[in-house]
Amino acid sequence: GQQVMQIPQYQHVQEGEDFTTYCNSSTTLSNIQWYKQRPGGHPVFLIQLVKSGEVKKQKRLTFQFGEAKKNSSLHITATQTTDVGTYFCARGATDSWGKLQFGAGTQVVVTP
Amino acid sequence: DTGVSQDPRHKITKRGQNVTFRCDPISEHNRLYWYRQTLGQGPEFLTYFQNEAQLEKSRLLSDRFSAERPKGSFSTLEIQRTEQGDSAMYLCASSLISGGQYNEQFFGPGTRLTVL
């Protein structure tokens, strides 16, 4: 199918450490979006990647789109307690542009 | 607040009852989406509108679910004869689509449905 798989499902990080979460697809992605959902909150858009090999940075967050456009990653450096939440990647459906298909997310817990 | 709003925020109902949720998107947005989210999962697409036209409905969606966006502004999602499996967070999102490209979706706070 057109699902995206996210790993790990759960990430426990010590404050100040770096970590990476991955989003993989068996088929080529036209684009990938990343969202963050805080506990008890709703998804909030972070970034969209469209081009093969694209790298975008937002302060301590680095987003990458694979050369083959079948995977993406989110790397966070010097993790802070404000990074707590679930990070979702979402692919644009190839049969219906505008519709997003979300992964199951990576839940991040930060220990002070 | 000019974000996406949803009403009610919480709904508890008994199995077999009908429920209706409302979503008010960001005013200039032409696309409106409904998603369902259960614990530990990402949002699952239900349906979306472009202006007042319902362009797609998930094949996984039971015919007990119906959505409308009569004037291209707010939308309602109705669930008839609710079942316990319908318990979930129902999220609404809106976006401005132009030029045939994907744009970010702005999510509302959601309506949490509990079916007893």
Side-chain angles (χ1 to χ4, degrees), chain A residues 3-6 23 87-91 101-106, chain B residues 40-43:
Chain A
Q3 293 184 350
V4 287
M5 305 300 294
Q6 288 191 251
C23 178
Y87 294 82
F88 294 101
C89 66
R91 67 175 295 167
Q101 294 169 323
F102 284 80
T106 294
Chain B
Q41 298 298 316

Side-chain angles (χ1 to χ4, degrees), chain B residues 52-112:
Chain B
E52 66 275 9
Q54 186 174 18
L55 296 188
E56 186 172 347
K57 185 175 175 180
S58 171
R59 278 171 272 176
L60 301 175
L61 203 58
S62 159
D63 56 9
R64 296 183 295 105
F65 288 70
S66 62
E68 294 183 343
R69 193 183 184 198
K71 297 182 180 179
S73 56
F74 74 93
S75 175
T76 58
L77 177 68
E78 181 183 19
I79 309 174
Q80 296 182 327
R81 305 181 301 282
T82 53
E83 301 172 358
Q84 288 184 326
D86 296 332
S87 296
M89 177 73 82
Y90 289 84
L91 292 164
C92 175
S94 70
S95 68
L96 179 63
I97 295 292
S98 61
Q101 62 180 357
Y102 290 91
N103 290 316
E104 64 180 286
Q105 295 187 13
F106 293 80
F107 282 82
T111 295
R112 181 167 296 283

Side-chain angles (χ1 to χ4, degrees), chain A residues 6 11 47 66 72 76-77 84-85 93 97-98 104-105 112:
Chain A
Q6 288 191 251
Q11 181 81 53
I47 205 86
S72 180
I76 300 183
T77 57
V84 165
W97 59 271

Side-chain angles (χ1 to χ4, degrees), chain A residues 35-108:
Chain A
Y35 289 78
K36 177 183 178 181
Q37 186 171 23
R38 294 181 183 275
H42 56 274
V44 175
F45 176 82
L46 294 176
I47 205 86
Q48 176 171 263
L49 304 171
V50 178
K51 298 177 182 177
S52 169
E54 189 171 16
V55 178
K56 289 188 177 180
K57 292 189 176 184
Q58 289 180 351
K59 297 184 180 178
R60 295 177 296 101
L61 276 61
T62 301
F63 303 85
Q64 189 164 2
F65 204 5
E67 292 290 341
K69 299 183 74 172
K70 287 188 175 181
N71 57 74
S72 180
S73 64
L74 161 58
H75 180 77
I76 300 183
T77 57
T79 305
Q80 300 177 357
T81 54
T82 54
D83 296 324
V84 165
T86 301
Y87 294 82
F88 294 101
C89 66
R91 67 175 295 167
T94 53
D95 59 344
S96 174
W97 59 271
K99 180 175 93 174
L100 292 175
Q101 294 169 323
F102 284 80
T106 294
Q107 183 181 351
V108 175

